[in-house]
Amino acid sequence: IRVGNAFELLKDLPQQKLPRIGTGIVLAMGVARLNDLDRRQWRACGYQSQGEFLDYWARTMPEAPADTNPWCWLIHFEYKG
C-alpha cells in the first residue's frame, strides 16, 4: 500500500467493530512499537482504553505478544465505502 493509493479492505473485522469492508485511500503510513502507541492512536482504532486495545491485540495477534513490544504498521486512511 502506498500513500495516495486506493486499496480494498477484505479482511473481516473483529465482531465488536462495524463490518466496514470496502475501499480506502491511504493518507499516511508509518511503523511504531506497540508499547509506543499513545491514547490518540488506540482511540482512533475505536478503543476507549489501552487495556481494551491490548486485549484485542492478544486475541488477534497471539504470535506477537504485547510483552515483546512488536513493530506495528500505522496506516491512516480515508474510508470510501
Side-chain angles (χ1 to χ4, degrees):
I1 302 173
R2 299 171 101 187
V3 173
N5 287 7
F7 64 95
E8 288 187 82
L9 302 174
L10 302 175
K11 186 176 180 183
D12 290 336
L13 298 175
Q15 289 181 350
Q16 73 269 23
K17 301 292 179 194
L18 296 175
R20 289 185 165 182
I21 307 300
T23 302
I25 301 294
V26 177
L27 303 175
M29 291 181 61
V31 293
R33 291 287 199 169
L34 181 65
N35 295 333
D36 293 336
L37 298 179
D38 61 26
R39 182 176 191 214
R40 178 184 54 84
Q41 291 162 321
W42 42 260
R43 286 193 59 120
C45 295
Y47 298 97
Q48 297 302 311
S49 70
Q50 184 180 31
E52 186 181 327
F53 175 76
L54 292 175
D55 287 345
Y56 165 74
W57 182 272
R59 287 191 313 275
T60 59
M61 299 296 293
E63 70 279 2
D67 62 351
T68 64
N69 198 20
W71 288 98
C72 307
W73 282 104
L74 303 176
I75 304 173
H76 180 91
F77 63 92
E78 180 180 350
Y79 179 71
K80 294 293 192 179

